[in-house]
Amino acid sequence: MKILCAGPTTIDPRVEKAMQGIVTNPDLDPEYEKFHRNVEKKLSRVVHTDRPSIIMLAEGMLALEGSVCSLMEPGERVLVLSNGFFGAGFSEFVDFFGGEAVLFEGDFRHGLDVDALRAFLEKDSDFALATMVHCETPSGITNDAAAICKLLKEYSILSIVDCVSSFGGEDIDFDESGMDILLGGTQKCLSAPTGLSILTLSEAAEQKMRNRKTRIPSYYMNLLNYLDVSEDFAFPYTMSEHLTYALNEALDLWQERDSIALHRQYGEITRKAFVDSGFTLYPKDAFSDTVTAVCVPDGMTATEILDRCREKGVMISKGVGELHDGLIRIGHMGSNISEENFRALFTVLDEVFGEAGMADTRFLETFEAAIARA
Ligand SMILES: *Cc1c(COP(=O)(O)O)cnc(C)c1O
Protein backbone atom coordinates (compact mmCIF):
# COMPACT_ATOMS: atom_id res chain seq x y z
CA MET A 1 0.00 0.00 0.00
CA LYS A 2 1.30 3.46 -0.90
CA ILE A 3 0.60 6.01 1.82
CA LEU A 4 -0.13 9.52 0.60
CA CYS A 5 -2.09 10.51 3.70
CA ALA A 6 -1.84 13.74 5.66
CA GLY A 7 -0.26 11.76 8.51
CA PRO A 8 0.79 9.37 9.83
CA THR A 9 3.09 9.17 6.84
CA THR A 10 5.27 6.56 5.11
CA ILE A 11 8.01 5.10 7.29
CA ASP A 12 11.26 4.63 5.40
CA PRO A 13 12.81 1.13 5.78
CA ARG A 14 15.90 2.76 7.31
CA VAL A 15 13.76 4.29 10.05
CA GLU A 16 11.94 1.02 10.63
CA LYS A 17 15.26 -0.79 10.95
CA ALA A 18 16.61 1.75 13.46
CA MET A 19 13.76 0.79 15.76
CA GLN A 20 14.55 -2.89 15.92
CA GLY A 21 16.12 -4.56 18.93
CA ILE A 22 16.57 -3.46 22.52
CA VAL A 23 19.96 -1.86 22.76
CA THR A 24 20.18 -0.51 26.26
CA ASN A 25 18.29 0.60 29.35
CA PRO A 26 17.42 4.25 28.74
CA ASP A 27 17.06 5.00 32.47
CA LEU A 28 20.48 3.72 33.46
CA ASP A 29 22.78 4.19 30.51
CA PRO A 30 24.58 7.54 30.39
CA GLU A 31 25.31 6.90 26.71
CA TYR A 32 21.59 6.84 26.06
CA GLU A 33 21.16 10.22 27.67
CA LYS A 34 23.91 11.67 25.47
CA PHE A 35 22.26 10.16 22.42
CA HIS A 36 18.85 11.53 23.45
CA ARG A 37 20.21 15.05 24.04
CA ASN A 38 21.81 14.96 20.62
CA VAL A 39 18.47 14.10 19.01
CA GLU A 40 16.97 17.09 20.83
CA LYS A 41 19.75 19.27 19.38
CA LYS A 42 18.99 17.99 15.89
CA LEU A 43 15.36 19.01 16.40
CA SER A 44 16.38 22.53 17.37
CA ARG A 45 18.56 22.67 14.26
CA VAL A 46 15.56 21.91 12.02
CA VAL A 47 14.06 25.22 13.18
CA HIS A 48 17.40 27.07 13.21
CA THR A 49 17.68 27.74 16.92
CA ASP A 50 20.01 27.13 19.85
CA ARG A 51 17.06 27.12 22.25
CA PRO A 52 16.31 23.72 23.78
CA SER A 53 13.89 21.22 22.29
CA ILE A 54 12.37 18.47 24.39
CA ILE A 55 10.86 15.13 23.46
CA MET A 56 7.69 13.93 25.16
CA LEU A 57 6.64 10.32 24.93
CA ALA A 58 3.20 11.37 23.76
CA GLU A 59 1.06 11.77 20.69
CA GLY A 60 0.90 15.33 19.34
CA MET A 61 -2.32 16.23 21.13
CA LEU A 62 -0.61 15.99 24.52
CA ALA A 63 1.87 18.65 23.40
CA LEU A 64 -1.02 21.00 22.59
CA GLU A 65 -2.61 20.37 25.96
CA GLY A 66 0.72 20.37 27.82
CA SER A 67 1.79 23.71 26.38
CA VAL A 68 -1.34 25.39 27.68
CA CYS A 69 -1.11 23.54 31.00
CA SER A 70 2.49 24.63 31.57
CA LEU A 71 2.47 28.16 30.20
CA MET A 72 -0.93 29.47 31.31
CA GLU A 73 -2.03 30.25 34.85
CA PRO A 74 -5.65 30.13 35.98
CA GLY A 75 -7.51 33.37 35.33
CA GLU A 76 -5.29 34.45 32.44
CA ARG A 77 -6.84 35.59 29.20
CA VAL A 78 -5.74 33.67 26.14
CA LEU A 79 -6.25 34.76 22.56
CA VAL A 80 -7.18 31.68 20.55
CA LEU A 81 -6.52 32.30 16.87
CA SER A 82 -8.60 30.02 14.73
CA ASN A 83 -9.17 29.52 11.04
CA GLY A 84 -9.58 25.78 11.12
CA PHE A 85 -10.34 22.59 12.96
CA PHE A 86 -7.32 22.54 15.29
CA GLY A 87 -7.28 26.30 16.00
CA ALA A 88 -10.53 26.51 17.94
CA GLY A 89 -9.71 23.29 19.79
CA PHE A 90 -7.16 25.15 21.91
CA SER A 91 -9.98 26.97 23.74
CA GLU A 92 -10.98 23.67 25.36
CA PHE A 93 -7.52 23.26 26.86
CA VAL A 94 -7.61 26.87 28.08
CA ASP A 95 -10.95 26.05 29.70
CA PHE A 96 -9.70 22.86 31.37
CA PHE A 97 -6.91 24.73 33.14
CA GLY A 98 -9.02 27.70 34.27
CA GLY A 99 -8.09 30.32 31.71
CA GLU A 100 -10.37 32.60 29.75
CA ALA A 101 -10.29 31.85 26.03
CA VAL A 102 -11.12 34.68 23.64
CA LEU A 103 -11.61 33.48 20.10
CA PHE A 104 -10.30 35.42 17.10
CA GLU A 105 -11.83 33.68 14.13
CA GLY A 106 -10.80 33.72 10.52
CA ASP A 107 -12.27 32.19 7.41
CA PHE A 108 -11.47 28.48 6.98
CA ARG A 109 -10.53 29.02 3.33
CA HIS A 110 -8.03 31.83 3.91
CA GLY A 111 -4.82 32.31 5.86
CA LEU A 112 -5.23 34.24 9.11
CA ASP A 113 -5.58 37.94 8.29
CA VAL A 114 -2.69 39.75 9.96
CA ASP A 115 -4.19 43.21 9.37
CA ALA A 116 -7.50 42.18 10.92
CA LEU A 117 -5.58 40.78 13.89
CA ARG A 118 -3.69 44.06 14.23
CA ALA A 119 -6.98 46.00 14.25
CA PHE A 120 -8.36 43.60 16.86
CA LEU A 121 -5.30 43.98 19.11
CA GLU A 122 -5.48 47.76 18.91
CA LYS A 123 -8.82 47.51 20.76
CA ASP A 124 -8.03 44.60 23.07
CA SER A 125 -4.55 43.29 23.78
CA ASP A 126 -4.82 42.23 27.41
CA PHE A 127 -3.68 38.66 26.83
CA ALA A 128 -0.98 36.66 28.57
CA LEU A 129 -0.64 34.38 25.59
CA ALA A 130 -2.08 33.37 22.26
CA THR A 131 -2.43 30.03 20.53
CA MET A 132 -2.34 29.38 16.82
CA VAL A 133 -1.92 26.62 14.28
CA HIS A 134 0.84 27.02 11.70
CA CYS A 135 -0.49 24.49 9.21
CA GLU A 136 -4.18 23.66 9.49
CA THR A 137 -3.89 20.10 8.22
CA PRO A 138 -7.64 19.54 7.78
CA SER A 139 -7.97 22.44 5.34
CA GLY A 140 -4.48 22.65 3.79
CA ILE A 141 -3.71 26.19 4.96
CA THR A 142 -0.34 27.40 6.24
CA ASN A 143 -0.71 30.57 8.28
CA ASP A 144 1.98 33.24 8.33
CA ALA A 145 3.23 32.29 11.78
CA ALA A 146 6.23 34.63 11.62
CA ALA A 147 4.13 37.73 10.88
CA ILE A 148 1.58 36.79 13.53
CA CYS A 149 4.07 35.96 16.30
CA LYS A 150 6.00 39.17 15.61
CA LEU A 151 2.78 41.15 15.90
CA LEU A 152 1.93 39.37 19.17
CA LYS A 153 5.41 40.24 20.47
CA GLU A 154 4.68 43.94 19.96
CA TYR A 155 1.96 43.48 22.58
CA SER A 156 4.09 41.23 24.83
CA ILE A 157 1.77 38.30 24.18
CA LEU A 158 3.51 34.92 24.28
CA SER A 159 2.68 32.44 21.53
CA ILE A 160 2.02 28.71 21.40
CA VAL A 161 2.26 27.51 17.81
CA ASP A 162 1.02 24.11 16.66
CA CYS A 163 3.53 23.06 14.00
CA VAL A 164 2.60 19.37 14.06
CA SER A 165 2.12 19.21 10.30
CA SER A 166 4.68 21.86 9.31
CA PHE A 167 7.74 20.92 11.40
CA GLY A 168 10.28 19.71 8.86
CA GLY A 169 8.01 20.57 5.93
CA GLU A 170 7.89 24.36 5.96
CA ASP A 171 10.97 26.43 6.69
CA ILE A 172 10.55 27.69 10.25
CA ASP A 173 13.00 30.05 11.91
CA PHE A 174 12.11 29.77 15.58
CA ASP A 175 14.10 32.79 16.82
CA GLU A 176 13.38 35.04 13.87
CA SER A 177 9.64 34.43 13.99
CA GLY A 178 9.48 35.04 17.73
CA MET A 179 7.58 31.88 18.64
CA ASP A 180 7.55 30.97 22.33
CA ILE A 181 6.41 27.37 22.33
CA LEU A 182 6.67 25.52 19.04
CA LEU A 183 5.17 22.07 19.16
CA GLY A 184 5.39 19.29 16.65
CA GLY A 185 4.81 15.62 16.13
CA THR A 186 6.98 12.94 14.59
CA GLN A 187 4.40 11.21 12.38
CA LYS A 188 3.90 13.97 9.80
CA CYS A 189 6.77 15.62 7.86
CA LEU A 190 9.56 13.85 9.76
CA SER A 191 8.03 10.46 8.91
CA ALA A 192 8.99 8.78 12.16
CA PRO A 193 6.47 6.60 13.98
CA THR A 194 3.56 8.13 15.90
CA GLY A 195 4.17 8.53 19.60
CA LEU A 196 6.57 11.38 20.25
CA SER A 197 5.90 15.08 20.63
CA ILE A 198 8.58 17.66 20.17
CA LEU A 199 8.58 21.09 21.76
CA THR A 200 10.95 24.03 21.41
CA LEU A 201 10.82 26.65 24.13
CA SER A 202 11.87 30.30 24.04
CA GLU A 203 13.65 32.03 26.89
CA ALA A 204 10.48 34.01 27.62
CA ALA A 205 8.34 30.86 27.76
CA GLU A 206 10.81 29.21 30.11
CA GLN A 207 10.89 32.28 32.37
CA LYS A 208 7.10 32.49 32.51
CA MET A 209 6.88 28.83 33.53
CA ARG A 210 9.56 29.25 36.19
CA ASN A 211 7.98 32.39 37.63
CA ARG A 212 4.44 31.08 37.95
CA LYS A 213 2.50 31.98 41.09
CA THR A 214 0.59 28.72 40.89
CA ARG A 215 1.89 25.20 40.40
CA ILE A 216 1.76 23.62 36.96
CA PRO A 217 -1.23 21.31 37.52
CA SER A 218 0.32 18.18 36.02
CA TYR A 219 3.38 16.00 36.29
CA TYR A 220 3.47 14.47 32.81
CA MET A 221 2.59 17.72 31.04
CA ASN A 222 4.93 19.91 33.12
CA LEU A 223 7.44 20.94 30.47
CA LEU A 224 9.96 22.04 33.09
CA ASN A 225 10.30 18.41 34.15
CA TYR A 226 11.88 17.76 30.77
CA LEU A 227 14.32 20.65 31.04
CA ASP A 228 15.38 20.10 34.62
CA VAL A 229 17.39 16.96 35.09
CA SER A 230 17.38 15.50 38.58
CA GLU A 231 20.49 13.92 40.08
CA ASP A 232 19.25 10.37 39.80
CA PHE A 233 17.19 10.48 36.62
CA ALA A 234 17.74 12.29 33.34
CA PHE A 235 14.08 12.05 32.29
CA PRO A 236 10.74 12.44 34.07
CA TYR A 237 9.87 8.85 33.14
CA THR A 238 11.24 6.02 31.06
CA MET A 239 11.79 7.10 27.47
CA SER A 240 11.05 4.82 24.54
CA GLU A 241 14.46 4.12 23.11
CA HIS A 242 12.92 2.56 19.98
CA LEU A 243 11.04 5.70 19.12
CA THR A 244 14.06 7.90 19.80
CA TYR A 245 16.28 5.74 17.56
CA ALA A 246 13.64 5.96 14.86
CA LEU A 247 13.36 9.72 15.23
CA ASN A 248 17.15 10.07 15.07
CA GLU A 249 17.28 8.11 11.82
CA ALA A 250 14.33 10.08 10.42
CA LEU A 251 16.15 13.33 11.23
CA ASP A 252 19.27 12.10 9.42
CA LEU A 253 17.17 11.17 6.42
CA TRP A 254 15.48 14.57 6.59
CA GLN A 255 18.90 16.23 6.60
CA GLU A 256 20.23 14.15 3.68
CA ARG A 257 17.28 14.99 1.46
CA ASP A 258 16.69 18.62 0.57
CA SER A 259 13.46 18.23 2.51
CA ILE A 260 12.07 21.75 2.63
CA ALA A 261 12.59 22.16 -1.12
CA LEU A 262 10.98 18.76 -1.77
CA HIS A 263 7.87 19.71 0.18
CA ARG A 264 7.62 22.95 -1.78
CA GLN A 265 8.09 21.18 -5.12
CA TYR A 266 5.55 18.42 -4.44
CA GLY A 267 3.09 20.92 -2.96
CA GLU A 268 3.21 22.90 -6.19
CA ILE A 269 2.96 19.81 -8.39
CA THR A 270 -0.01 18.44 -6.45
CA ARG A 271 -1.95 21.71 -6.58
CA LYS A 272 -1.25 22.07 -10.30
CA ALA A 273 -2.28 18.47 -11.01
CA PHE A 274 -5.69 19.01 -9.39
CA VAL A 275 -6.28 22.43 -10.93
CA ASP A 276 -5.28 21.21 -14.43
CA SER A 277 -7.74 18.35 -14.01
CA GLY A 278 -10.60 20.75 -13.30
CA PHE A 279 -10.77 20.44 -9.50
CA THR A 280 -11.22 23.26 -6.96
CA LEU A 281 -8.68 23.57 -4.17
CA TYR A 282 -10.28 24.18 -0.77
CA PRO A 283 -7.97 27.04 0.27
CA LYS A 284 -8.22 30.33 -1.63
CA ASP A 285 -4.76 31.42 -0.48
CA ALA A 286 -2.02 30.44 2.01
CA PHE A 287 -1.61 27.03 0.37
CA SER A 288 0.25 24.55 2.52
CA ASP A 289 3.36 22.90 1.13
CA THR A 290 2.73 19.81 3.24
CA VAL A 291 -0.92 18.99 2.57
CA THR A 292 -3.35 19.78 -0.25
CA ALA A 293 -7.11 19.83 0.41
CA VAL A 294 -9.38 19.52 -2.61
CA CYS A 295 -13.17 19.84 -2.95
CA VAL A 296 -14.91 16.60 -3.87
CA PRO A 297 -16.73 16.87 -7.23
CA ASP A 298 -20.56 17.00 -7.18
CA GLY A 299 -22.21 13.61 -6.96
CA MET A 300 -19.29 11.91 -5.20
CA THR A 301 -18.20 11.51 -1.57
CA ALA A 302 -14.72 11.49 -0.11
CA THR A 303 -15.43 8.11 1.48
CA GLU A 304 -16.10 6.47 -1.87
CA ILE A 305 -13.04 8.10 -3.47
CA LEU A 306 -10.84 6.87 -0.61
CA ASP A 307 -12.32 3.36 -0.90
CA ARG A 308 -11.65 3.21 -4.65
CA CYS A 309 -8.08 4.49 -4.20
CA ARG A 310 -7.40 1.99 -1.44
CA GLU A 311 -8.65 -0.88 -3.61
CA LYS A 312 -6.01 0.22 -6.12
CA GLY A 313 -3.25 0.34 -3.51
CA VAL A 314 -3.12 4.04 -2.59
CA MET A 315 -4.25 5.63 0.67
CA ILE A 316 -5.18 9.31 0.81
CA SER A 317 -7.05 11.30 3.49
CA LYS A 318 -10.53 12.72 3.58
CA GLY A 319 -11.79 15.85 5.33
CA VAL A 320 -12.40 16.29 9.06
CA GLY A 321 -15.57 17.21 10.96
CA GLU A 322 -18.29 18.81 8.85
CA LEU A 323 -16.03 18.62 5.83
CA HIS A 324 -15.26 14.91 6.22
CA ASP A 325 -17.02 13.82 3.02
CA GLY A 326 -16.53 17.07 1.13
CA LEU A 327 -12.73 17.10 0.91
CA ILE A 328 -9.96 14.76 -0.09
CA ARG A 329 -6.44 15.49 1.07
CA ILE A 330 -3.01 14.50 -0.15
CA GLY A 331 -0.11 14.56 2.30
CA HIS A 332 3.06 15.56 0.44
CA MET A 333 4.92 15.04 3.66
CA GLY A 334 8.26 13.46 4.52
CA SER A 335 8.80 9.98 3.13
CA ASN A 336 5.45 10.09 1.31
CA ILE A 337 7.38 12.17 -1.19
CA SER A 338 8.92 10.05 -3.92
CA GLU A 339 8.46 9.89 -7.67
CA GLU A 340 7.30 6.31 -7.28
CA ASN A 341 4.59 7.19 -4.74
CA PHE A 342 3.31 10.16 -6.67
CA ARG A 343 3.35 8.36 -10.01
CA ALA A 344 1.18 5.66 -8.37
CA LEU A 345 -1.09 8.28 -6.81
CA PHE A 346 -1.70 10.20 -10.00
CA THR A 347 -2.19 7.03 -12.06
CA VAL A 348 -4.84 5.88 -9.59
CA LEU A 349 -6.57 9.28 -9.49
CA ASP A 350 -6.87 9.31 -13.31
CA GLU A 351 -8.40 5.83 -13.13
CA VAL A 352 -10.78 6.49 -10.23
CA PHE A 353 -12.16 9.74 -11.63
CA GLY A 354 -12.19 8.29 -15.15
CA GLU A 355 -14.35 5.40 -13.93
CA ALA A 356 -16.62 7.99 -12.28
CA GLY A 357 -17.22 9.60 -15.67
CA MET A 358 -14.63 12.38 -15.61
CA ALA A 359 -12.88 11.58 -18.88
CA ASP A 360 -10.51 14.52 -19.03
CA THR A 361 -8.44 14.42 -15.86
CA ARG A 362 -4.72 14.71 -16.51
CA PHE A 363 -3.04 13.99 -13.19
CA LEU A 364 -0.27 11.77 -14.52
CA GLU A 365 0.36 13.99 -17.53
CA THR A 366 0.79 17.08 -15.31
CA PHE A 367 3.08 15.14 -13.00
CA GLU A 368 5.33 13.75 -15.73
CA ALA A 369 5.64 17.18 -17.34
CA ALA A 370 6.56 18.79 -14.02
CA ILE A 371 9.13 16.10 -13.21
CA ALA A 372 10.66 16.35 -16.68
CA ARG A 373 11.07 20.12 -16.21
CA ALA A 374 12.62 19.83 -12.74
C1 LIG B 1 -1.86 15.71 13.28
C2 LIG B 1 -2.06 16.99 13.98
C3 LIG B 1 -2.20 17.05 15.38
C4 LIG B 1 -2.19 15.80 16.21
O1 LIG B 1 -3.33 15.09 15.90
P1 LIG B 1 -3.42 13.52 15.68
O2 LIG B 1 -4.37 13.37 14.53
O3 LIG B 1 -3.98 13.01 16.92
O4 LIG B 1 -2.09 13.01 15.33
C5 LIG B 1 -2.33 18.29 15.97
N1 LIG B 1 -2.35 19.43 15.24
C6 LIG B 1 -2.23 19.41 13.89
C7 LIG B 1 -2.25 20.69 13.13
C8 LIG B 1 -2.08 18.19 13.23
O5 LIG B 1 -1.95 18.16 11.90
Side-chain angles (χ1 to χ4, degrees):
M1 189 70 71
K2 301 244 186 284
I3 298 171
L4 280 304
C5 300
T9 53
T10 308
I11 308 266
D12 189 272
R14 254 175 67 181
V15 174
E16 208 177 297
K17 191 149 172 283
M19 227 178 345
Q20 287 164 5
I22 307 256
V23 178
T24 187
N25 178 323
D27 284 329
L28 298 175
D29 185 349
E31 290 303 314
Y32 177 80
E33 189 195 348
K34 268 191 228 154
F35 171 81
H36 189 99
R37 300 297 172 217
N38 192 47
V39 178
E40 291 175 334
K41 284 206 181 73
K42 288 183 187 177
L43 290 168
S44 290
R45 241 175 270 141
V46 170
V47 291
H48 311 290
T49 185
D50 292 329
R51 289 294 307 164
S53 294
I54 60 175
I55 299 170
M56 277 176 108
L57 180 45
E59 210 285 325
M61 294 310 292
L62 201 66
L64 274 71
E65 189 165 357
S67 300
V68 175
C69 172
S70 288
L71 197 62
M72 186 199 74
E73 293 203 66
E76 285 182 339
R77 293 179 82 226
V78 178
L79 183 61
V80 175
L81 306 177
S82 168
N83 63 330
F85 181 82
F86 282 102
F90 268 108
S91 49
E92 267 197 82
F93 301 135
V94 171
D95 238 33
F96 291 158
F97 299 111
E100 185 196 334
V102 176
L103 211 58
F104 173 87
E105 283 185 291
D107 191 294
F108 271 39
R109 299 187 75 167
H110 291 277
L112 279 168
D113 183 339
V114 182
D115 292 328
L117 178 60
R118 187 183 301 279
F120 178 94
L121 288 169
E122 275 165 17
K123 296 202 191 81
D124 182 6
S125 61
D126 181 22
F127 300 101
L129 55 132
T131 64
M132 70 168 289
V133 179
H134 186 204
C135 173
E136 270 290 357
T137 329
S139 43
I141 296 245
T142 295
N143 289 307
D144 189 346
I148 292 164
C149 293
K150 274 183 204 150
L151 174 59
L152 293 168
K153 273 257 126 60
E154 289 176 29
Y155 291 91
S156 304
I157 301 169
L158 299 187
S159 55
I160 294 174
V161 189
D162 174 349
C163 296
V164 174
S165 63
S166 57
F167 191 96
E170 307 265 2
D171 199 21
I172 300 171
D173 189 320
F174 181 76
D175 300 323
E176 228 284 302
S177 64
M179 296 178 184
D180 290 295
I181 296 185
L182 173 160
L183 60 96
T186 48
Q187 79 275 30
K188 304 270 167 92
C189 302
L190 293 179
S191 288
T194 308
L196 298 178
S197 289
I198 51 199
L199 297 108
T200 309
L201 311 171
S202 76
E203 174 84 41
E206 190 181 335
Q207 286 317 314
K208 184 173 189 316
M209 288 190 272
R210 294 202 188 282
N211 297 329
R212 285 174 63 118
K213 293 179 210 71
T214 57
R215 278 210 313 172
I216 293 174
S218 169
Y219 176 80
Y220 205 102
M221 289 188 283
N222 181 344
L223 303 183
L224 292 176
N225 286 341
Y226 297 76
L227 286 179
D228 299 337
V229 176
S230 74
E231 261 171 45
D232 46 348
F233 283 113
F235 308 108
Y237 46 77
T238 303
M239 289 291 154
S240 162
E241 57 175 316
H242 302 85
L243 290 177
T244 320
Y245 295 142
L247 175 58
N248 180 59
E249 193 65 27
L251 283 162
D252 287 349
L253 199 60
W254 182 89
Q255 181 70 43
E256 288 162 28
R257 310 212 299 167
D258 191 357
S259 291
I260 299 292
L262 272 177
H263 283 87
R264 195 173 299 139
Q265 183 195 3
Y266 275 77
E268 270 169 27
I269 290 176
T270 304
R271 292 192 292 273
K272 185 166 169 37
F274 275 99
V275 170
D276 284 1
S277 289
F279 286 73
T280 306
L281 302 178
Y282 183 72
K284 306 277 196 195
D285 56 35
F287 304 103
S288 162
D289 280 335
T290 68
V291 53
T292 292
V294 183
C295 300
V296 167
D298 288 341
M300 298 182 83
T301 65
T303 305
E304 82 185 289
I305 296 169
L306 261 62
D307 287 348
R308 299 253 169 86
C309 289
R310 216 171 41 246
E311 284 161 18
K312 294 173 186 288
V314 167
M315 279 177 91
I316 60 171
S317 297
K318 54 182 186 168
V320 176
E322 277 173 35
L323 291 169
H324 80 276
D325 247 343
L327 296 182
I328 54 171
R329 294 179 301 140
I330 310 297
H332 23 89
M333 293 177 173
S335 298
N336 283 3
I337 299 176
S338 70
E339 278 191 37
E340 185 192 336
N341 272 2
F342 274 78
R343 194 164 281 123
L345 167 72
F346 290 134
T347 303
V348 163
L349 289 179
D350 278 325
E351 284 174 22
V352 166
F353 290 113
E355 287 160 15
M358 296 172 67
D360 49 1
T361 65
R362 48 180 67 198
F363 287 103
L364 192 60
E365 189 187 316
T366 305
F367 176 71
E368 297 296 1
I371 288 298
R373 265 199 312 274

